[in-house]
Amino acid sequence: GAPRGTSPGQQLRALFYVLPPGESSFRTVEEVPDYVEKSIPFFIAFIVLEFAVSWVQKRKLPGRINDGISSLSLGILSRLPDVLFRSVELISYIYIWDNYRLFELPWDSQWTWYLTLLGVDFAYYCFHRLSHEVNILWAAHQIHHSSEDYNLFTALRQSVLQKYTSWIFNLPMALFIPPSVFAVHLQFNLLYQFWIHTEVITNLGPLEWILNTPSHHRVHHGRNPYCIDKNYGGTLIIWDRIFGTFEAEDAKVVYGLTHPVNSFDPIMLQLRPLAHIWNTFWATPGFCNKLSVIFKGPGWGPGKPRLGLPEEIPVVTGKEVPFNPRVPGYLNCYAVVHFAVVLDLYTELLGTVTMLSQGAILLRIAFIILSLTSFGLLMENKPKAGMLEFIRCLVFVAAYKLGYVRSQFSSLDYTYEV
């Protein structure tokens, strides 16, 4: 049958994983809505609401312009491969289902729906935990932890590479759970984790025992010694309670990495951890030690336990100052306006990708990456950032004049060129 539409109310409830089986069960993968894309307006609305509530509660905003642009840039960057290729998570899952499934649970059963909820969340817990305990996986996942702010922008701060390893953990479900049911829960599990990235929600009472909440997830994002390697759950916190990785929020959480990267450049944030592993690999003597650099914890070194020594975790004083280069106010305004233009171009690309040639898609992706990199360097006040931005603007005007990049709003054509 034709794909069922989703109402705004359903899209909103999808964010909180409260679409029941009757409203979110589909016979085929093709019928499953793109809940993530449909939720973008709600992402924006909740970010605005978070800013308003934070201002009322604390008389301060929940984040900074430079860090917010960095998080949004990483979010866009992480989604660009999906413009070119179908999701590796679904491709691999469908392949196992088509060729190796043992039996087939009914797609329209509520018990299949609930079993998949638990299965997807447990697979996420396993992958998430290994992403902190295996260095090569941490090299991708640490990008999500690199922000020194904690707000809804942080939820969008994602790795380009992480999805190319996470798919493995879902494959056991492909032996018996239909792909259409899996595709729904894969999105719901991701969407649920958006709203828990906030400080404006303190405690949810009895729900704290079962669900992953803002309080639990603040601990996960902390670099305080008591926060390290805790609270891996996606939707449910029960896995952490069962496997001994739960920690309740206690002392004020200081966010970010134990060794801050001090950069807003999205490409640098993606590649620097891999470069560090590469250099450490060649500098470490002994073949077994070299393998340990890749597959043991990020804190490991020769003679240390697998996950490193807890006493080597830097002490948190509570007086840490986030990386925040001073830039003129007009430059912040400039970056916000131009980022909004690029966001428009990105959204237009998503809407027209099926009508574009491969060359046109690659050209637009290249321009988006160039723009996000330039904004990051501007926010860092790098000496050559102005020249790169000047070149970017020339490329934009030429590409816009020739029709290689397009806005969703034709009325803005002249404004964009100006």
Side-chain angles (χ1 to χ4, degrees), residues 19-182:
L19 271 184
E23 291 183 83
S24 53
S25 295
F26 304 89
R27 184 183 297 275
T28 66
V29 171
E30 288 71 27
E31 293 179 78
V32 177
D34 189 339
Y35 289 105
V36 174
E37 186 176 329
K38 291 176 183 293
S39 295
I40 290 175
F42 292 103
F43 292 164
I44 297 169
F46 276 110
I47 286 170
V48 172
L49 180 62
E50 180 188 37
F51 271 67
V53 173
S54 180
W55 182 257
V56 170
Q57 285 181 344
K58 306 175 184 177
R59 284 293 183 268
K60 71 172 187 177
L61 298 179
R64 297 164 292 148
I65 290 174
N66 46 25
D67 190 82
I69 287 178
S70 177
S71 292
L72 290 171
S73 297
L74 287 162
I76 291 174
L77 204 61
S78 72
R79 302 284 292 179
L80 287 179
D82 294 338
V83 174
L84 293 170
F85 316 108
R86 193 176 181 184
S87 165
V88 67
E89 293 160 312
L90 279 179
I91 289 175
S92 58
Y93 193 96
I94 291 170
Y95 177 81
I96 297 297
W97 170 262
D98 287 342
N99 295 281
Y100 299 105
R101 70 177 180 266
L102 302 177
F103 56 91
E104 185 173 334
L105 293 176
W107 66 270
D108 54 351
S109 166
Q110 64 177 349
W111 299 111
T112 304
W113 195 94
Y114 288 117
L115 178 63
T116 311
L117 184 161
L118 292 173
V120 168
D121 202 57
F122 180 63
Y124 178 81
Y125 171 85
C126 295
F127 167 71
H128 194 187
R129 182 168 178 174
L130 282 180
S131 293
H132 283 252
E133 296 183 358
V134 175
N135 203 14
I136 191 66
L137 299 181
W138 172 246
H141 182 63
Q142 60 86 36
I143 289 155
H144 182 61
H145 286 263
S146 59
S147 173
E148 294 178 274
D149 293 341
Y150 189 77
N151 50 43
L152 293 176
F153 285 127
T154 310
L156 306 176
R157 194 180 190 95
Q158 299 293 333
S159 164
V160 171
L161 301 173
Q162 183 170 297
K163 67 183 72 177
Y164 297 105
T165 51
S166 61
W167 59 272
I168 299 170
F169 293 80
N170 294 312
L171 295 186
M173 288 180 286
L175 299 174
F176 53 92
I177 291 175
S180 61
V181 186
F182 168 74

Side-chain angles (χ1 to χ4, degrees), residues 2 193 236-237 241 312 361 410:
Q193 294 178 59
L236 304 172
I237 203 66
R241 294 186 183 278
E312 291 185 351
I361 294 171
S410 57

Side-chain angles (χ1 to χ4, degrees), residues 269-318:
L269 286 166
Q270 299 279 351
L271 298 181
R272 185 183 289 174
L274 293 172
H276 175 70
I277 290 178
W278 175 264
N279 294 332
T280 307
F281 178 88
W282 290 111
T284 303
F287 180 72
C288 290
N289 283 339
K290 289 183 185 297
L291 290 180
S292 294
V293 168
I294 298 173
F295 296 111
K296 290 188 178 179
W300 178 86
K304 297 179 185 178
R306 182 175 67 89
L307 299 180
L309 297 168
E311 56 267 29
E312 291 185 351
I313 298 171
V315 174
V316 168
T317 64

Side-chain angles (χ1 to χ4, degrees), residues 342 345 363-371 392 395-396 405:
V342 171
L345 302 180
L363 187 65
R364 294 187 187 201
I365 287 175
F367 176 74
I368 289 171
I369 293 173
L370 172 64
S371 299
R392 186 194 75 85
V395 170
F396 172 77
V405 294

